[in-house]
Amino acid sequence: MKKILFVVGIVTCLLSCNQPSAGGAAGNASFDSLLDTYYETRLKLYPLEGTFVGDKRYNDTLINDGSQNFVNSVTRLCNDYLVKLSAFRDAKLSDEQKLSYDILSYQLTTMQQGFKLDIFYDLANFAHPLFTPFNQMVSLPLTIGQMASGTGLQPFKSVSDYDNWLKRIRGFRSWSDTAISNMNKGIRSGIVLPKAVVLKMIPQMESMKVDSPQLSIFYGPITNMPAGFPEADKIRLTEEYKIAITDIVVPVYGRLAQYLQTTYLPAARSSSGMSALPGGAELYKFMVMQNTTTSKTPEEIYQTGLSEVERIKKKMDSIRVGVGFRGNMKAFFESMKTGKRFMPYKTTQEVLAAFDSIHKRMEPQLKKLFSHAPRTGFEIRQTEPFRAASASAEYNQGSADGSRPGIFYIPILNAKEFNTTSGMESLFLHEAIPGHHYQISLTQENNDLPKFRRYGIDNAYVEGWALYCESLGKELGLYTDPYQVMGALGDEMHRAIRLVVDVAIHTKGMSREQAIRYMMGNEAISLQGATAEIERYMSNPGQALGYKIGALKIRELRTIAEKQLGSKFDVADFHHEILKDGSMPLAILEAKILKWIASK
C-alpha cells in the first residue's frame, strides 16, 4: 500500500520501564497535554498528514521537506520531545498512557538514529536518505498530481478549498529546486538511485508536461467546479489555475524531467543494492529495523524467506495436482498467466464490479470475525492513468470525520488482459476489507486515542495486519475456487520472495536481473510485474519486509491465544484486541497481546 503515513519505531523501546500494570492508574492530564502538543507541533512540519486525515487547517501549505531549515526543525522536534517525555518516566500513568509513552519513545528514538545516517522523513513520512528525495514509487511529484486531480485527498468543495490548493502548489517550485540540489549533493557523495529506477521516473515527469492548461490533470478541479460557486469566483479561479499550470506546474515537471535525463541519469548507478553506496550496509540495517520494528538481522530475515518460499511452494504444488494439471509448476504458472479463461473481462467497469462482488460475498461472515466495523465509507476506483503503469493496487485512507471515504485503487492498463488468477480475493482482503480499510478507519475513528496514535502508522503492523487478513479468506466464505486459493498462495509467496530478494539485492550483490528471474521462477507473475516489484525494492529498501514479518507475528500471537485460551478463545475478541489500540511497533504489540491473554 501506498500513501498511508508511516511512523517508525525501534526495538530498543522502553517496555521494561513502562509496561502497563494490571490495575492501571488514573490518567495524567499533563501527559495528555504533552501528547497533544507533540502532535500539533509535528503536524505543522508535516501538513500533508493533516490533509490525509481530513484536517483542513494546513491545506494551503507545502513544506520544503528537503531544506536545511526543515531538517533542523525535525531534529529539534525529536530531541525536545524525548527530553520532555523523559520527565514522565516514573510518573503515574494509566495503562493507555503507558502504551502511548512506549510507542512515542520508540518512534522518537528511531528518528534520532536515522538522523545520524542522514535519514529523514518526507511529506508522507517515508524514511529515505536526504540525497534521494523521490523515486518512481514514493514521490511528492506523483502525490501532488494525484491530489491535484480533484478526486483524491485534497478537497475541492468550496472556494476556500480552491484557493488553498493555489497556495499549496506555489511551494512546488521551491521543493523541486531543493530536490535537485540534494540530488546533486548525492551525485558528489556517491549516494544516487539505480539507473533502472531513474528511467522509470523520467516518463512520469514528462507525462505532466502539456501544451494547454486544459489538458493537465491539475485542471480537473476547474472542469468539475461546483455549479453553486459565484460567477466572479468561477472566472477568477479558472484564470488563476491556468496561470498556475502554465507558470509553475508545467515548468517544474519539465525541469525535473530534463534534470533526470541529462544530469542525474548519467550519474546514476548500475548496481541494484545499497551495499554499493558509501555506508550502505549500515543504512540498510537501519531501514530493515525501521520497517520491521524488530531486532531481526537481514540474514535472519533472508533465511526466514527461504524457508517460507519452500513451505508455500509445496502448497502450490498440491493445488496443481488437485486441478489435474499435468505439467510442472513453471508450466502451471504460465498457463495461469496466459489462459484466456482467466481473462474474462472486456471493460474496466467489469473489473471493478468483480471486486465489488467479492465484498458482497463475504459480508455475511464479517460479523463473525469482527465485533466492530468502521463507519468510514468505502469505494473501489481505477488508478489514474498518469501513474497506473508504475502503480500497484493500493488503499488511500478516508478522512477521520467521514467526509472522504477510504478508496481501494486498482491499476487497470487493459481490462481484457486483467487476470483473475492474480489473487483478486486475497488482494481485496489485504488492500480493502478487512485489511487496510478496517484497521486504519477503526483507528482514526477512535477518539479515545491520542492523535499521534490515531493517525500514525507503523509499517510492519499495518502491512502485517493486511497480509494476515489474506489468510482469513476461507473463514470469510471466499477461496472456494482453487485458482483463487492459488492466487492467495501466490500473494503469500510474493511476500515470502520479498524477504529473499530485498535482502539479497542490498547485502548479497543480487542484481536486478537475477532478482527478477528468482521472482518469476517462484510465482505466476509477468515480466512487467516482476520488474516493477524488484525496482520497488531497489528504491525503497526494507519497506517490503514489513508485510511478512508483521503477518508472521500476528499469526504467532493468534496461535498462542488459541492454545492458551482453548474454548475461551473468540476470534472476534482477538481481532478487536489487535486493532483497538491502533498501530504500534511489533515488540509493543506482542507484550500487549500476551498481557491480554493472561487477563483472560
Side-chain angles (χ1 to χ4, degrees):
M1 83 170 279
K2 186 177 162 232
K3 293 195 178 61
I4 53 176
L5 314 181
F6 287 89
V7 179
V8 296
I10 67 167
V11 169
T12 55
C13 64
L14 304 178
L15 285 169
S16 58
C17 70
N18 240 330
Q19 189 57 35
S21 60
N28 187 311
S30 296
F31 183 73
D32 286 341
S33 178
L34 174 72
L35 299 182
D36 288 342
T37 304
Y38 167 74
Y39 176 79
E40 292 297 334
T41 304
R42 188 181 181 285
L43 194 61
K44 293 177 182 177
L45 293 171
Y46 294 95
L48 279 191
E49 290 189 13
T51 304
F52 289 171
V53 301
D55 185 334
K56 298 181 179 181
R57 288 176 294 165
Y58 305 110
N59 280 0
D60 61 349
T61 305
L62 186 67
I63 295 291
N64 188 351
D65 65 356
S67 68
Q68 191 59 50
N69 182 56
F70 176 83
V71 168
N72 293 342
S73 296
V74 173
T75 304
R76 188 164 51 248
L77 171 81
C78 180
N79 295 339
D80 287 351
Y81 276 89
L82 270 173
V83 172
K84 292 176 180 178
L85 195 62
S86 67
F88 292 90
R89 180 185 295 270
D90 301 315
K92 290 184 178 181
L93 304 176
S94 70
D95 286 356
E96 271 301 317
Q97 288 177 327
K98 289 174 183 177
L99 199 55
S100 293
Y101 181 102
D102 287 335
I103 293 170
L104 186 55
S105 298
Y106 204 109
Q107 293 171 358
L108 293 175
T109 307
T110 298
M111 292 180 75
Q112 268 195 339
Q113 288 192 341
F115 296 159
K116 296 174 184 176
L117 300 172
D118 283 332
I119 295 286
F120 283 87
Y121 304 89
D122 65 14
L123 292 164
N125 213 11
F126 281 89
H128 61 80
L130 189 62
F131 296 154
T132 55
F134 72 112
N135 56 52
Q136 87 287 12
M137 293 290 296
V138 181
S139 168
L140 179 73
L142 296 184
T143 301
I144 286 290
Q146 191 178 12
M147 295 175 76
S149 67
T151 60
L153 299 170
Q154 183 88 10
F156 289 94
K157 296 180 179 179
S158 66
V159 171
S160 62
D161 286 341
Y162 276 71
D163 284 328
N164 282 339
W165 181 248
L166 284 171
K167 293 175 185 176
R168 174 166 269 176
I169 201 61
R170 287 175 191 137
F172 191 29
R173 183 184 287 115
S174 61
W175 182 92
S176 66
D177 289 344
T178 301
I180 288 173
S181 175
N182 283 335
M183 293 168 87
N184 282 332
K185 293 176 184 176
I187 291 173
R188 292 193 291 272
S189 64
I191 299 177
V192 292
L193 293 169
K195 287 184 184 295
V197 167
V198 181
L199 287 169
K200 294 292 167 54
M201 297 165 68
I202 295 168
Q204 290 175 339
M205 301 301 105
E206 290 281 1
S207 69
M208 295 298 198
K209 294 164 57 181
V210 293
D211 296 328
S212 167
Q214 290 88 339
L215 300 176
S216 173
I217 193 170
F218 285 73
Y219 198 76
I222 299 300
T223 302
N224 300 302
M225 193 182 298
F229 279 12
E231 194 62 29
D233 283 317
K234 288 182 180 180
I235 294 171
R236 174 182 64 84
L237 290 171
T238 298
E239 186 60 27
E240 290 185 1
Y241 270 63
K242 286 180 180 178
I243 292 171
I245 293 168
T246 302
D247 293 354
I248 300 173
V249 173
V250 173
V252 166
Y253 282 109
R255 187 181 177 211
L256 287 171
Q258 183 179 24
Y259 171 78
L260 290 171
Q261 180 72 60
T262 61
T263 302
Y264 198 74
L265 182 62
R269 55 190 168 93
S270 56
S271 59
S272 301
M274 293 192 80
S275 59
L277 300 177
E282 190 176 5
L283 279 170
Y284 185 64
K285 286 180 183 178
F286 174 83
M287 299 300 281
V288 168
M289 176 271 292
Q290 181 248 338
N291 280 293
T292 67
T293 61
T294 72
S295 58
K296 291 182 181 295
T297 66
E299 184 61 27
E300 286 177 303
I301 291 172
Y302 179 77
Q303 293 299 329
T304 298
L306 292 176
S307 176
E308 284 291 286
V309 166
E310 289 306 310
R311 179 185 66 81
I312 299 165
K313 192 181 293 184
K314 291 177 182 177
K315 286 192 171 185
M316 286 180 153
D317 199 51
S318 69
I319 299 292
R320 179 189 63 81
V321 173
V323 298
F325 188 82
R326 297 184 181 277
N328 61 19
M329 187 59 71
K330 184 177 180 180
F332 190 39
F333 287 159
E334 191 63 28
S335 73
M336 290 193 297
K337 283 191 293 185
T338 60
K340 293 298 182 184
R341 67 187 175 119
F342 301 127
M343 292 176 267
Y345 308 117
K346 295 180 180 179
T347 67
T348 294
Q349 286 306 313
E350 288 180 358
V351 178
L352 299 177
F355 278 105
D356 187 54
S357 73
I358 293 170
H359 185 198
K360 288 182 170 64
R361 279 186 282 129
M362 72 177 184
E363 274 187 311
Q365 305 301 321
L366 277 169
K367 290 183 179 179
K368 296 179 182 179
L369 270 65
F370 295 91
S371 55
H372 295 72
R375 299 184 302 273
T376 304
F378 170 76
E379 291 182 10
I380 303 170
R381 294 184 190 174
Q382 179 186 11
T383 304
E384 302 93 339
F386 79 91
R387 64 188 186 94
S390 296
S392 303
E394 66 189 22
Y395 175 77
N396 278 194
Q397 68 211 69
S399 58
D401 63 3
S403 62
R404 186 186 69 238
I407 301 169
F408 170 40
Y409 281 103
I410 310 109
I412 308 170
L413 299 177
N414 183 345
K416 294 178 180 179
E417 295 178 0
F418 195 95
N419 195 309
T420 60
T421 67
S422 59
M424 293 179 69
E425 291 180 351
S426 54
L427 177 64
F428 189 87
L429 293 172
H430 180 114
E431 295 292 348
I433 295 172
H436 289 318
H437 182 64
Y438 265 43
Q439 185 272 311
I440 295 172
S441 298
L442 286 170
T443 301
Q444 289 187 163
E445 293 168 9
N446 186 352
N447 291 315
D448 292 333
L449 294 178
K451 288 183 178 180
F452 90 96
R453 286 171 58 191
R454 283 179 69 191
Y455 304 132
I457 293 176
D458 296 83
N459 181 44
Y461 173 95
V462 172
E463 296 298 356
W465 165 258
L467 180 53
Y468 163 80
C469 285
E470 293 183 28
S471 72
L472 303 178
K474 287 188 181 297
E475 293 174 87
L476 288 168
L478 303 177
Y479 296 169
T480 56
D481 177 355
Y483 287 99
Q484 285 303 312
V485 176
M486 189 67 182
L489 287 172
D491 283 347
E492 188 179 9
M493 173 66 88
H494 188 62
R495 278 43 171 263
I497 288 170
R498 285 173 169 176
L499 303 188
V500 176
V501 297
D502 196 295
V503 174
I505 287 169
H506 295 293
T507 70
K508 298 177 181 293
M510 178 181 274
S511 70
R512 168 181 174 274
E513 291 70 28
Q514 288 172 326
I516 290 170
R517 286 197 296 273
Y518 181 86
M519 179 169 278
M520 294 185 70
N522 287 286
E523 64 172 307
I525 190 170
S526 67
L527 175 61
Q528 181 185 17
T531 300
E533 285 293 315
I534 297 304
E535 290 174 352
R536 167 185 171 180
Y537 315 149
M538 289 163 57
S539 58
N540 297 286
Q543 190 274 329
L545 303 177
Y547 298 70
K548 191 66 175 171
I549 297 301
L552 287 171
K553 177 55 67 178
I554 294 173
R555 177 55 66 176
E556 174 193 331
L557 293 173
R558 176 170 170 174
T559 300
I560 292 171
E562 288 172 337
K563 288 181 178 179
Q564 293 193 14
L565 297 179
S567 61
K568 292 182 180 179
F569 177 79
D570 182 276
V571 66
D573 285 349
F574 173 76
H575 290 157
H576 179 58
E577 192 64 29
I578 291 285
L579 296 176
K580 75 180 183 68
D581 291 309
S583 170
M584 63 188 69
L586 294 181
I588 297 176
L589 175 69
E590 181 172 18
K592 184 180 88 83
I593 295 299
L594 293 178
K595 180 176 181 291
W596 171 76
I597 293 172
S599 74
K600 302 286 279 187

